[in-house]
Amino acid sequence: MARSTAEIELVALVDEATKTVKKFAADTQKQLSGISFASTVTAINAGLELVQKTAGAAFNLISDGLKDVVNEAIAAEEAQLNLANALRLSGDYSAAAVASFNKLASEIQRSTTFTDEQVLSAAAVGKQFSLTNAETQKAVRVAADLAAVTGQDLNSAMFTVSQTFNGFVSRDLAKTIPGLKNLSQNALISGQGLSLIESRVKGSAEALGNTFSGALTKAGNALSDIKETLGGFITDNPALIAGLVEIRKGFELFNEQLQQNGQSFKGLVTDGFLLVISAAPKFVQTIERIFNNLSFVKLIVDKLGASLGALAAAIANPISAG
């Protein structure tokens, strides 16, 4: 029996798609074989099956293997945005002001157990109390020392310290810093309360950072900064963002095709399958570009993690005297 035009077209499209995706699968298997996150990419015999498995490997790489680095980059971006918004609301925003706060954040991270994102978040809290930029920076340093003494998180300590500029001293703070209750409201508002707190707790955060536990925390924070930088290659990469947008558009187009052909089950199956198969080569090429851009990042992160693990093991199991 002679084949219909649709059947001939379908066979040709499947053959073309299969060749394209099989080549990508073979190349991907070679790349994955030497990397720890590799999961076997099996030989795929049909266009749809291979597209699904190949795309799945790439998306798993993004969602699982690179979750940490992307999350670090997102957290850094959010901290920067929150501080910038706080500065704008108070009328104190400028590029120089942001740079100054970033410098402060880096200095505090290097000498204490607090991350630069935590420092920027605390600075945003201070701006909510209408502190000047100079008062905010001093308050952040004092809050870091106070948090080291009391065990509070940095934002809570910053909130407590900033309240003194409104003439208010919490009960817990008054117990921790004797003499605060003796200051008048005007003295507190003028910043004398902050200076008194500073005189009692100064250097505590740095001292905590110099302990064994603090040193491990700082090492972890440094690794997080590396992840943040690597994550930025992804979150700030226009090519990767554009690729994901194209994938989304492809899914939306396919869904539209399904809805438009919903009245005819045969037409739905035929048209939908032809749409997917004809789009397979372009779809795989998009996935391949994303996969190639991301695989080197995951490899670097894995090696860094292994190095940190080896360090931790060496610390936990010191060599005994022979």
Side-chain angles (χ1 to χ4, degrees):
M1 177 181 289
R3 291 182 175 181
S4 67
T5 302
E7 289 176 321
I8 295 173
E9 179 184 5
L10 178 59
V11 170
L13 287 171
V14 169
D15 182 65
E16 179 184 356
T18 300
K19 290 178 181 177
T20 300
V21 292
K22 276 186 176 181
K23 180 180 184 303
F24 175 53
D27 293 341
T28 301
Q29 180 61 60
K30 293 177 182 178
Q31 295 179 35
L32 290 176
S33 62
I35 303 176
S36 62
F37 62 81
S39 58
T40 303
V41 178
T42 59
I44 300 175
N45 300 315
L48 279 177
E49 182 182 359
L50 188 52
V51 169
Q52 180 182 15
K53 291 187 178 181
T54 306
F59 283 120
N60 285 338
L61 173 64
I62 297 173
S63 62
D64 297 331
L66 295 178
K67 182 180 294 183
D68 285 347
V69 296
V70 171
N71 285 343
E72 289 289 347
I74 290 174
E77 187 176 46
E78 289 178 348
Q80 292 281 346
L81 181 61
N82 290 339
L83 175 61
N85 287 339
L87 289 170
R88 288 189 178 95
L89 289 173
S90 64
D92 295 327
Y93 177 85
S94 70
V98 173
S100 179
F101 277 105
N102 282 330
K103 180 180 178 182
L104 173 71
S106 296
E107 290 174 354
I108 292 179
Q109 175 170 301
R110 281 194 297 268
S111 61
T112 75
T113 59
F114 298 109
T115 66
D116 50 0
E117 288 86 9
Q118 289 173 326
V119 174
L120 295 179
S121 179
V125 171
K127 296 304 296 181
Q128 294 173 9
F129 285 85
S130 300
L131 275 62
T132 66
N133 289 352
E135 288 172 337
T136 300
Q137 293 203 12
K138 179 179 179 180
V140 169
R141 291 186 183 277
V142 174
D145 287 327
L146 180 63
V149 171
T150 63
Q152 293 174 284
D153 62 84
L154 186 53
N155 271 4
S156 296
M158 185 65 180
F159 185 87
T160 300
V161 166
S162 298
Q163 282 183 314
T164 64
F165 283 90
N166 286 349
F168 178 80
V169 177
S170 70
R171 181 180 302 176
D172 289 339
L173 183 59
K175 291 179 180 179
T176 304
I177 311 295
L180 276 178
K181 283 294 188 181
N182 297 330
L183 295 177
S184 67
Q185 194 168 52
N186 286 338
L188 290 169
I189 293 173
S190 69
Q192 292 183 41
L194 180 65
S195 295
L196 178 58
I197 299 171
E198 180 183 31
S199 69
R200 302 292 176 82
V201 299
K202 187 174 183 178
S204 299
E206 185 171 353
L208 181 61
N210 289 332
T211 64
F212 177 79
S213 174
L216 285 178
T217 300
K218 288 195 289 186
N221 290 342
L223 177 60
S224 293
D225 273 354
I226 295 174
K227 291 180 179 180
E228 176 186 320
T229 299
L230 293 173
F233 296 155
I234 299 169
T235 59
D236 297 335
N237 191 319
L240 294 179
I241 294 173
L244 292 174
V245 169
E246 289 303 315
I247 291 173
R248 173 186 60 79
K249 288 180 179 179
F251 289 153
E252 290 175 348
L253 176 62
F254 181 57
N255 186 49
E256 290 175 4
Q257 290 292 321
L258 290 177
Q259 293 176 354
Q260 291 173 6
N261 293 280
Q263 298 300 320
S264 171
F265 180 77
K266 181 178 180 180
L268 172 69
V269 174
T270 302
D271 294 345
F273 190 68
L274 284 173
L275 175 65
V276 173
I277 293 302
S278 62
K282 182 178 180 180
F283 183 77
V284 170
Q285 289 170 5
T286 300
I287 294 297
E288 182 178 20
R289 286 196 299 271
I290 294 175
F291 189 90
N292 289 338
N293 274 280
L294 296 179
S295 61
F296 83 97
V297 177
K298 179 59 172 62
L299 178 60
I300 293 174
V301 173
D302 278 353
K303 289 187 178 298
L304 287 170
S307 298
L308 188 60
L311 174 61
I315 294 173
N317 302 287
I319 300 176
S320 59

